[in-house]
Amino acid sequence: LKVGLCTVSGLAKKETNPKAMKSAKAKAKPMKVMKAPKAKAVATRAMKSAKSVKVSPELLQKPIRVGFLIGKDTDLVEDAKYVGDASFLADLPDKYRVDPVSKEYVKNCDPGTTGFAHADVAIPWYIHKHFSEDVTVDMIFPEEINTKRLKSNLVNYVLGYDVINSIFEGAKRVKAVTKAFIDSGNVMPGYSFQDFIYIKSKYMEACMKAGIPMAPTIFCKKGKRSPAGLLREIQARGWRTFVMKQSMMAFSLGFCKLRVEDCLNDPSILKTYFEEHADCPEYVVQEAIEGFTRNWETRCFWFNGEFLYAIANKAAVSTEDGQEVIVTGDDIPAEFLENAKKIGAEALKILPQLTTPTGQPIGHVLIRTDIGCADSQVYDNNTNWDPSVKTFFLNEIEYGGTTYFIRHLKEDWVPKWAGLYVDKTKEICNQMSA
């Protein structure tokens, strides 16, 4: 998920906050979502791009030119909670900082506006300060994304802005960003991998096939859905309440929780939803898991297939003070952490192989697996979860541009993330030079 509304002069956001979501809804309402490219066509174009990438010999020399696609406003590093030494950001140009009020880069604000650095900028700036002999950093604002700029680097990592953000700028912008990602052939991860995550049914069906537990799910794909048909299928499955999400969407737009009884009594509920979101390529409809909000959702971070750390959060609706609670490290209950790591490790196995721009297989860059917990009755006819015990399940998979939660961690992870991206860059360069 992302927060706020990103424009080419704005920011990419990955987590939810009510104020930004309200703004996003207001701005996005009249905008039509671009039809998602067909999976086969995307895969074919991406494969051709990888095979046809011609790398300039200069790009294989040190310092290696590396791009970082930036654009966040929800992942502060210049914050009182950050346990590390933020002095390395003292000479960061203000244009990369974000105004906490407008959620815009300072460069787009009135003179004198004070901003703060977020993880997507702090990590590459740390690399610039400490690994300049190995890497030349190119931080790319959303409006600067084009094939020529991307090709000027050996590789470009997604830390912020991506195709999902471009959706809110209209079909023309989506087409331009998608084309740049595919034609450059050096965005990490590549567009075909991104599409596997964007269209949720792709990775969710692969997980189900692999036996990874997930909430009971129905996929409603554009051109093959109707309000009445969906309601019939939900009834046939025995559900009482359900949630609706969307592929190729952010800011929790399109998310809602509904009761089957209400939809039967008032058919306009689903009819209106279908009309308002007619352009969405896919609805993801799931039985509502009541234990999800009162238990920890545990988010595991992986790089090269190895576990790095986890954060666990409990929804505001289930806490005493009405505030979301986030815990990390040894504050995460062991039962939740171990089950989250176990399920997350299995989920990694269904992901497409990551490759260098010239096709050599490499380990994955950042992947985040979000694991929920059920502890009450699930009514789905095809699901046999024991309501007397906790059942852990995969809720979502995200990649590079997701929130790192650095300011919530008990250790300073900026240097560690910087080292991981530098080492990955060296690995890619060595593979392509062989």
Side-chain angles (χ1 to χ4, degrees):
L1 298 178
K2 302 176 183 179
V3 170
L5 182 64
C6 179
T7 65
V8 291
S9 61
L11 301 167
K13 294 91 176 175
K14 302 287 182 179
E15 299 297 330
T16 320
N17 83 38
K19 182 178 178 181
M21 191 166 70
K22 181 178 180 181
S23 173
K25 289 181 178 179
K27 295 179 183 178
K29 187 175 181 180
M31 198 170 289
K32 288 185 176 294
V33 177
M34 179 186 174
K35 181 179 180 181
K38 292 184 178 180
K40 186 175 181 180
V42 168
T44 301
R45 288 176 65 192
M47 287 172 60
K48 287 182 178 179
S49 177
K51 292 178 180 178
S52 63
V53 167
K54 294 181 179 180
V55 180
S56 169
E58 289 78 13
L59 290 178
L60 296 172
Q61 304 300 315
K62 289 187 177 181
I64 306 166
R65 279 189 57 86
V66 180
F68 292 90
L69 303 182
I70 63 173
K72 285 185 177 179
D73 73 356
T74 59
D75 212 358
L76 278 168
V77 171
E78 287 185 311
D79 184 84
K81 293 180 181 179
Y82 174 52
V83 300
D85 179 3
S87 62
F88 73 95
L89 292 166
D91 58 350
L92 173 75
D94 271 347
K95 67 179 182 179
Y96 293 114
R97 290 186 166 90
V98 178
D99 170 27
V101 178
S102 67
K103 306 295 185 180
E104 290 289 340
Y105 282 115
V106 169
K107 71 187 181 80
N108 299 322
C109 299
D110 294 334
T113 299
T114 299
F116 302 93
H118 293 254
D120 59 322
V121 165
I123 293 169
W125 191 252
Y126 190 94
I127 294 173
H128 167 71
K129 298 283 288 188
H130 294 275
F131 297 93
S132 59
E133 292 185 2
D134 297 314
V135 169
T136 296
V137 169
D138 178 22
M139 288 192 280
I140 304 174
F141 287 109
E143 68 270 22
E144 297 173 341
I145 295 174
N146 58 60
T147 302
K148 182 178 180 181
R149 178 67 171 272
L150 296 178
K151 281 190 172 183
S152 71
N153 301 314
L154 181 69
V155 66
N156 300 279
Y157 297 106
V158 177
L159 267 65
Y161 186 97
D162 60 15
V163 173
I164 295 295
N165 296 98
S166 71
I167 286 175
F168 295 92
E169 300 163 52
K172 184 177 180 180
R173 177 65 177 164
V174 174
K175 184 177 180 180
V177 174
T178 302
K179 186 176 189 301
F181 280 13
I182 293 176
D183 290 352
S184 66
N186 65 352
V187 175
M188 196 65 59
Y191 185 79
S192 59
F193 183 97
Q194 295 176 39
D195 187 68
F196 188 79
I197 302 300
Y198 295 154
I199 304 299
K200 298 180 185 297
S201 61
K202 294 183 179 181
Y203 76 79
M204 294 177 78
E205 287 177 339
C207 285
M208 293 173 190
K209 185 176 181 180
I212 296 170
M214 301 194 75
T217 305
I218 296 169
F219 300 110
C220 289
K221 300 184 179 181
K222 187 177 180 181
K224 299 179 180 180
R225 64 193 181 208
S226 70
L230 172 60
L231 193 54
R232 282 195 300 271
E233 189 168 358
I234 288 173
Q235 285 183 279
R237 296 279 290 269
W239 302 359
R240 298 186 181 184
T241 58
F242 61 98
V243 297
M244 296 189 69
K245 311 174 186 179
Q246 296 183 8
S247 289
M248 297 296 289
M249 187 46 63
F251 320 117
S252 290
L253 294 176
F255 179 90
C256 64
K257 182 178 179 180
L258 301 170
R259 297 173 63 232
V260 174
E261 182 180 2
D262 293 338
C263 293
L264 286 170
N265 292 333
D266 184 2
S268 70
I269 295 175
L270 280 180
K271 183 175 182 292
T272 299
Y273 185 96
F274 273 61
E275 290 172 350
E276 290 182 352
H277 304 289
D279 292 310
C280 176
E282 178 179 81
Y283 306 151
V284 178
V285 188
Q286 295 181 308
E287 181 176 1
I289 306 299
E290 296 305 322
F292 185 80
T293 56
R294 61 175 168 263
N295 286 296
W296 297 104
E297 181 182 15
T298 309
R299 306 164 192 256
C300 294
F301 292 75
W302 312 80
F303 200 98
N304 281 327
E306 297 180 2
F307 174 78
L308 301 181
Y309 61 82
I311 73 101
N313 68 292
K314 191 171 289 188
V317 295
S318 59
T319 61
E320 292 184 5
D321 60 2
Q323 299 293 317
E324 180 186 34
V325 176
I326 296 176
V327 296
T328 65
D330 55 9
D331 290 333
I332 301 174
E335 180 185 15
F336 284 79
L337 179 58
E338 292 310 311
N339 279 282
K341 289 169 65 175
K342 180 180 179 181
I343 294 173
E346 290 302 309
L348 295 182
K349 297 177 183 178
I350 63 91
L351 297 175
Q353 174 67 57
L354 195 63
T355 66
T356 69
T358 47
Q360 296 88 353
I362 54 173
H364 287 295
V365 288
L366 169 61
I367 298 294
R368 198 183 87 186
T369 54
D370 297 353
I371 311 302
C373 177
D375 61 4
S376 55
Q377 182 67 48
V378 174
Y379 296 94
D380 183 72
N381 295 334
N382 303 324
T383 304
N384 297 305
W385 292 355
D386 184 348
S388 66
V389 300
K390 293 184 178 70
T391 298
F392 296 87
F393 61 94
L394 178 70
N395 184 48
E396 198 164 43
I397 298 177
E398 297 197 16
Y399 74 101
T402 191
T403 300
Y404 289 56
F405 292 94
I406 285 176
R407 63 175 166 158
H408 296 281
L409 302 175
K410 296 181 179 182
E411 300 178 69
D412 182 6
W413 265 85
V414 170
K416 296 180 181 182
W417 278 116
L420 287 168
Y421 280 110
V422 170
D423 288 345
K424 176 59 68 175
T425 299
K426 291 178 180 178
E427 176 191 356
I428 292 170
C429 185
N430 290 336
Q431 290 274 20
M432 293 173 67
S433 300

